[in-house]
Amino acid sequence: MASVPKTMKAVVIEKNGGTEVLQYKTDVPVPEPKEGQLLVKNDYIGINFIDTYFRSGLYPVPSWPYILGREAEGTVVKAGGGETYGIEEGDKVVWMAEGAYAEYTAAPAAKTVKLPKDMESKIGAAALLQGLTALTLIREAHAVKKGDWVLVHAAAGGTGLWLCQLLRAIGANTVGTASTKEKVDLATKAGATHMINYSQDDVKSKVMELTSNNGVAAVFDGVGKSTFDLSLECVARKGSMISFGNASGAVPPVTIAKLSPKNARLMRPTLFGYIATREEFEHYVNELFEIIPKEKIDVRIHEVYPLSEVKRAQDDLEGRVSTGKLLLDPSK
């Protein structure tokens, strides 16, 4: 393997705030892998809304300074010892943990897997977190069955497009929401059976019209504050309200009695609660990597941004101008 440098390019935050707190640095020390870790030279880094939650302070960072980012793909350049799950130096891998906005990351071996040899570059980083989020939502948060009516907010977003495609494979009746014709068309192509342009139409009225006033078996809501009450109104009797994101802000405290009229279930899952063990992680990653070619999943990449342009990338994500996955290239 090529020698590992002493310093690297990385994006660091030293306080919470907007994108102005993102600091692109070229002299950050390369981490030394500890027992159970693998030093990975990152090729492509995934951008996710959770990164903005840590940046803004919605989620607390463990310590300062802090390197954002939860996933990347790259090459193992050094092992720190201990269990590596058959992963060796030189292997192409994808991993999920912390500290991704950098050229190198000391990733936990337990959350690292080899990439399939026939998988194109970028797909691992583009698929991992959002793909696993969508997969665990439809398998565990609410086990969707063929014929179920399901509402997906932000259907043309990264996780939304994954949900549309996976729900299509199951045979669900997917109702998606989006704000523009372009996004409506994208989600329809991905498999949404019905789309609602919420800038023009009333979402609840359309949902009730489509479902004969019954509502949907499940709502997958990654938007949060601005859609929560609407989502609950669209849930059918004995249905599930799955709130999995805060794109518009955190949902305020909820009065539990709101669930009583419909005997509705309310859940606020996180992906990491479904893949806590190595067994769970491998199970879902293997299923995801099998589904991509089998179901001809379009792992849509919105843009690959230079790491040095991370502010623009997060602005695009939060500004809802992107469709699909945003990646960072740490070599630029």
Side-chain angles (χ1 to χ4, degrees):
M1 296 299 298
S3 61
V4 178
K6 298 292 185 184
T7 59
M8 65 180 182
K9 298 189 282 284
V11 174
V12 176
I13 61 170
E14 296 177 333
K15 61 181 179 179
N16 294 125
T19 53
E20 74 280 354
V21 304
L22 297 169
Q23 300 179 55
Y24 172 72
K25 297 189 173 186
T26 58
D27 60 351
V28 176
V30 171
E32 184 67 26
K34 299 175 183 176
E35 181 96 358
Q37 291 184 329
L38 301 164
L39 185 64
V40 179
K41 186 179 190 298
N42 298 320
D43 294 326
Y44 296 101
I45 300 158
I47 300 177
N48 298 283
F49 265 105
I50 194 171
D51 306 341
T52 70
Y53 304 159
F54 280 105
R55 188 207 70 217
S56 68
L58 181 62
Y59 292 177
V61 303
S63 61
W64 304 101
Y66 186 68
I67 297 176
L68 294 170
R70 311 288 285 195
E71 64 179 338
E73 70 173 74
T75 305
V76 176
V77 295
K78 189 176 181 180
E83 177 63 75
T84 64
Y85 304 96
I87 300 169
E88 301 175 342
E89 290 183 23
D91 284 342
K92 291 285 188 181
V93 297
V94 63
W95 61 266
M96 183 183 299
E98 293 181 291
Y101 285 18
E103 285 186 280
Y104 293 86
T105 304
K111 288 292 185 285
T112 304
V113 293
K114 294 180 186 179
L115 284 168
K117 293 189 183 302
D118 57 352
M119 182 172 282
E120 296 178 26
S121 67
K122 305 185 187 71
I123 299 298
L128 192 65
L129 196 145
Q130 290 178 342
L132 290 179
T133 296
L135 187 57
T136 55
L137 285 175
I138 68 169
R139 291 284 189 261
E140 297 206 45
H142 179 95
V144 180
K145 300 184 293 294
K146 183 178 181 179
D148 279 351
W149 284 91
V150 177
L151 177 62
V152 176
H153 285 299
T159 304
L161 289 172
W162 272 100
L163 283 167
C164 289
Q165 294 180 89
L166 294 177
L167 291 168
R168 176 189 63 196
I170 290 173
N173 295 301
T174 304
V175 182
T177 69
S179 60
T180 67
K181 183 180 184 303
E182 178 200 13
K183 291 183 177 183
V184 165
D185 291 345
L186 269 175
T188 301
K189 183 181 177 183
T193 38
H194 304 275
M195 282 299 298
I196 301 171
N197 186 332
Y198 65 78
S199 66
Q200 299 175 357
D201 298 311
D202 181 75
V203 173
K204 181 184 176 183
S205 297
K206 286 287 185 181
V207 167
M208 291 304 168
E209 178 185 330
L210 289 166
T211 61
S212 302
N213 285 320
N214 290 316
V216 294
V219 180
F220 293 113
D221 186 344
V223 177
K225 183 178 180 179
S226 67
T227 53
F228 182 84
D229 289 338
L230 167 65
S231 295
L232 207 52
E233 290 172 1
C234 292
V235 170
R237 182 178 65 88
K238 298 196 288 185
S240 300
M241 165 58 188
I242 311 299
S243 178
F244 69 92
N246 314 287
S248 67
V251 176
V254 178
T255 302
I256 198 168
K258 277 189 172 185
L259 307 177
S260 297
K262 298 179 180 179
N263 281 9
R265 302 176 187 86
L266 172 61
M267 190 175 193
R268 179 53 175 95
T270 65
L271 167 61
F272 302 96
Y274 290 128
I275 56 169
T277 68
R278 176 68 185 185
E279 183 182 18
E280 290 169 331
F281 182 62
E282 282 190 341
H283 166 78
Y284 277 117
V285 171
N286 289 339
E287 184 178 2
L288 181 70
F289 287 170
E290 288 170 6
I291 285 174
I292 290 172
K294 180 183 176 183
E295 300 296 339
K296 297 180 173 59
I297 299 294
D298 177 16
V299 184
R300 181 181 174 84
I301 297 171
H302 175 74
E303 186 176 339
V304 180
Y305 300 76
L307 183 63
S308 58
E309 295 183 25
V310 63
K311 292 182 182 180
R312 179 170 69 87
Q314 286 202 0
D315 282 338
D316 286 353
L317 182 69
E318 293 181 292
R320 307 291 285 276
V321 300
S322 61
T323 54
K325 185 70 175 185
L326 287 68
L327 298 177
L328 293 168
D329 180 347
S331 70
K332 301 177 181 177

